[in-house]
Amino acid sequence: MTPGYWPQACAELSQRSPALSALIAQYPVSVLKTRGEPFETLLRAIVGQQISIAAADAIWARLAALLDTTSPLAVVAAQPDALRAVGFSLRKVEYAQDLARHFLDGRIDPARFDALDDETIIRELVAVRGIGRWTAEMYLIFNLCRPDVWPVDDIGLQKALVVIHGLPARPALAELRQMGEAFRPWRSVATWYLWRMLDPVEVQY
């Protein structure tokens, strides 16, 4: 499912930024699509931490062959050695199973999220081991399709901002945050197209 706000966001961003206008025109069929399954989205984000897209995809394919990736119970029940065998580090085994326990005991209840603002959801998610702000922001973008997320800690976004502003080096986080103000209230969409500047392959969590 692609968010209904996407065409309006693209139109407004194209008017504000020549760089984004060019990217949107270059990738006319590149749009965000949500998988719609909260647990699986977060599990994918954990799998993808600090490794390449290709490596994450390979691990995910082996995990999907092992168990139902939409089922917290299946992840909790999996033997750590089985998860290690598909490519999980020992730490990611711990993170995945802690995430599953949070879903099973109701500490994470996605049914509540529609009524919560972005920062409240982030606070709830970062209580899980292995989920930091970046992972929570990926959830906001890729599962909840929140339109105005600016994941300033994302290395790809940082590199793209350096390129479009012609900077000699990556600026401080405070300056990177300020750069995002020009794209409100569509910072998630701006991020999507800035990622395309560095990698035309779409990432879907």
Side-chain angles (χ1 to χ4, degrees):
M1 182 183 71
T2 297
Y5 57 72
W6 202 264
Q8 178 185 355
C10 288
E12 292 184 12
L13 290 170
S14 293
Q15 291 177 344
R16 296 180 199 174
S17 167
L20 280 180
S21 179
L23 284 167
I24 291 167
Q26 185 177 355
Y27 298 99
V29 297
S30 180
V31 296
L32 174 67
K33 302 178 187 71
T34 178
R35 293 182 186 275
E37 171 50 55
F39 176 73
E40 188 174 47
T41 296
L42 289 166
L43 185 60
R44 274 185 178 273
I46 287 173
V47 168
Q49 288 172 354
Q50 299 181 325
I51 61 175
S52 69
I53 294 173
D57 286 346
I59 292 170
W60 188 262
R62 292 193 293 268
L63 180 65
L66 176 69
L67 52 78
D68 178 0
T69 55
T70 67
S71 169
L73 186 59
V75 172
V76 165
Q79 291 298 311
D81 286 347
L83 295 175
R84 294 294 304 279
V86 303
F88 278 55
S89 66
L90 181 59
R91 183 160 293 180
K92 285 189 179 179
V93 171
E94 296 170 354
Y95 293 168
Q97 293 191 321
D98 189 50
L99 172 67
R101 285 189 287 270
H102 273 74
F103 270 78
L104 289 171
D105 66 18
R107 282 177 288 173
I108 292 181
D109 180 8
R112 299 173 47 248
F113 284 172
D114 283 348
L116 302 179
D117 62 44
D118 292 354
E119 289 300 323
T120 301
I121 294 170
I122 288 171
R123 284 196 297 272
E124 292 199 8
L125 292 178
V126 299
V128 179
R129 292 184 64 195
I131 292 184
R133 184 177 181 90
W134 177 86
T135 304
E137 288 171 335
M138 294 305 101
Y139 181 84
L140 290 174
I141 294 172
F142 286 97
N143 187 272
L144 297 180
C145 294
R146 295 291 173 95
D148 197 35
V149 180
W150 189 241
V152 75
D153 294 316
D154 185 85
I155 298 300
L157 176 60
Q158 293 175 6
K159 289 180 178 178
L161 289 169
V162 168
V163 172
I164 68 167
H165 289 286
L167 303 175
R170 189 169 60 204
L173 286 178
E175 186 175 348
L176 291 167
R177 290 190 187 95
Q178 185 59 38
M179 290 176 183
E181 293 303 305
F183 305 128
R184 284 185 183 271
W186 310 118
R187 290 180 296 173
S188 300
V189 182
T191 298
W192 176 263
Y193 286 105
L194 290 169
W195 281 334
R196 300 287 76 73
M197 178 180 287
L198 302 178
D199 189 352
V201 178
E202 298 173 6
V203 177
Q204 300 286 349
Y205 286 107

